[in-house]
Amino acid sequence: DKLKETDWLMKSVLKRIVGTIPVLIGVVLLIFIMLRIIPGNAAAVLLGEHVDQATIDRLTQSMGLNDPVLVQFFKYIGNALQGDLGESYRYSRPVTEMILEAFPYTVELALLAALFAWVLGLAAGVVAAIRQNRLLDRLFMGASLMGVSMPIFMTSLLLQYFLAFRLEWFPLTMEQGSLVSMVLPAIALGWNSAGSVARMTRSSLIEVMQADYIDTARAKGLGRRAVILGHALKNSMLPVITMMALQLSSMLSGAVITESIFAIPGIGRLATTAINNRDMPVLQGTVLFTTVLVIAGNLLADLLYGVLDPRIRKEV
């Protein structure tokens, strides 16, 4: 059985990695085309105002921006395969180095946000399922609906105003080396995910509680807590765990708004700065890097689904 499971795991990983290659190429090509149809010239932006056209043309030529898009594209792909994502136009630094410097801040934020979302979401979902159609159920599901519906920027601004500005419990923005200053950004980023986890946990647990084997467990004299924690909860976690894996990858790749509001020097803020500066190598590098994170998250979710549900392995 272990040999078969290992064989299934290797085949699944290989199959999905091969399937992601066209996606990565398509994303890079798309960002290349989009950046080059936007009005403006990166060389002109770098040089600023009051610069003659000849100087702009020389810099454009030296940056390789006069080459056909496909030539630039394949050159970029070749370098990227060697770990070279180019050099920043604005800072004259390797893009790979800048991403590796920013990534730890994004990882810290995403992990704290995921911890908050999963603990709160699972607890609220279980309580809501146990107290179905009662006051706690309505209260928790109302709060989760608000979390799912409220935009991240609104949650961030409200947290900043009430908990940082008015009550002064937390810093307004991130402070270097301070874990406390990451609490508000983590709550803001994880609030939406907590609502999704709570609603998914509740619906999945309620569905499992209606299964025949739950009635059998009750007939054997098991207490309510033993039935829920020992049987129902374990079997209702499959879709929830899959969602959690996808959420982590989205937090790692989509913390742009949160990082900008709380001044966190992560991948998201690096991307927004690159957009403002028309720093194409940095923007391309961050987009490619976050795409890889999303694909990795989807791969992890697929593998977890297969590991937790033996029926999936039989279909592969």
Side-chain angles (χ1 to χ4, degrees), residues 54-103:
T55 304
I56 294 176
D57 291 341
R58 285 196 299 272
L59 182 58
T60 302
Q61 181 68 37
S62 66
M63 292 167 65
L65 298 178
N66 283 339
D67 296 336
V69 174
L70 285 178
V71 173
Q72 297 181 48
F73 171 72
F74 284 114
K75 185 185 296 184
Y76 181 80
I77 289 292
N79 292 333
L81 290 174
Q82 303 175 49
D84 180 10
L85 298 177
E87 187 175 280
S88 168
Y89 293 160
R90 172 67 63 176
Y91 302 105
S92 300
R93 293 182 57 199
V95 173
T96 304
E97 180 182 305
M98 295 175 68
I99 290 175
L100 292 178
E101 284 182 3
F103 189 52

Side-chain angles (χ1 to χ4, degrees), residues 132-210:
Q132 185 181 2
N133 297 326
R134 297 181 185 178
L135 179 61
L136 277 179
D137 181 22
R138 294 188 176 93
L139 180 64
F140 285 168
M141 287 303 100
S144 69
L145 180 60
M146 183 176 66
V148 171
S149 305
M150 186 179 292
I152 291 179
F153 76 87
M154 181 62 69
T155 305
S156 301
L157 294 176
L158 287 174
L159 289 173
Q160 277 188 325
Y161 180 74
F162 287 108
L163 299 183
F165 178 70
R166 300 290 295 182
L167 299 176
E168 298 183 355
W169 289 354
F170 301 97
L172 273 171
T173 57
M174 178 190 169
E175 296 177 356
Q176 195 75 24
S178 172
L179 186 62
V180 175
S181 65
M182 295 292 283
V183 172
L184 284 188
I187 295 174
L189 183 60
W191 184 254
N192 180 279
S193 298
S196 300
V197 170
R199 297 178 74 84
M200 176 67 78
T201 302
R202 177 187 180 274
S203 61
S204 182
L205 187 54
I206 289 174
E207 181 180 352
V208 170
M209 289 290 288
Q210 297 171 357

Side-chain angles (χ1 to χ4, degrees), residues 238 305-306 308-316:
L238 181 60
Y305 212 100
L308 296 172
D309 190 347
R311 293 171 299 180
I312 302 296
R313 296 198 292 270
K314 293 177 181 179
E315 295 173 3
V316 178

Side-chain angles (χ1 to χ4, degrees), residues 159-306:
L159 289 173
Q160 277 188 325
Y161 180 74
F162 287 108
L163 299 183
F165 178 70
R166 300 290 295 182
L167 299 176
E168 298 183 355
W169 289 354
F170 301 97
L172 273 171
T173 57
M174 178 190 169
E175 296 177 356
Q176 195 75 24
S178 172
L179 186 62
V180 175
S181 65
M182 295 292 283
V183 172
L184 284 188
I187 295 174
L189 183 60
W191 184 254
N192 180 279
S193 298
S196 300
V197 170
R199 297 178 74 84
M200 176 67 78
T201 302
R202 177 187 180 274
S203 61
S204 182
L205 187 54
I206 289 174
E207 181 180 352
V208 170
M209 289 290 288
Q210 297 171 357
D212 293 337
Y213 67 87
I214 297 297
D215 294 333
T216 303
R218 287 171 176 160
K220 289 180 178 178
L222 292 177
R224 189 177 184 184
R225 179 179 297 180
V227 170
I228 292 172
L229 298 180
H231 294 77
L233 184 59
K234 179 177 65 175
N235 292 302
S236 66
M237 283 294 99
L238 181 60
V240 179
I241 291 175
T242 304
M243 173 187 282
M244 289 160 67
L246 294 173
Q247 283 180 345
L248 182 58
S249 68
S250 67
M251 289 176 185
L252 287 169
S253 61
V256 177
I257 297 174
T258 309
E259 290 181 355
S260 298
I261 292 176
F262 289 95
I264 300 172
I267 298 292
R269 196 175 180 203
L270 186 64
T272 55
T273 304
I275 293 172
N276 294 331
N277 295 333
R278 282 191 62 86
D279 198 339
M280 290 184 288
V282 175
L283 184 56
Q284 288 166 180
T286 54
V287 170
L288 180 59
F289 189 75
T290 53
T291 301
V292 171
L293 291 178
V294 171
I295 290 173
N298 280 274
L299 174 61
L300 177 61
D302 288 343
L303 294 177
L304 281 175
Y305 212 100

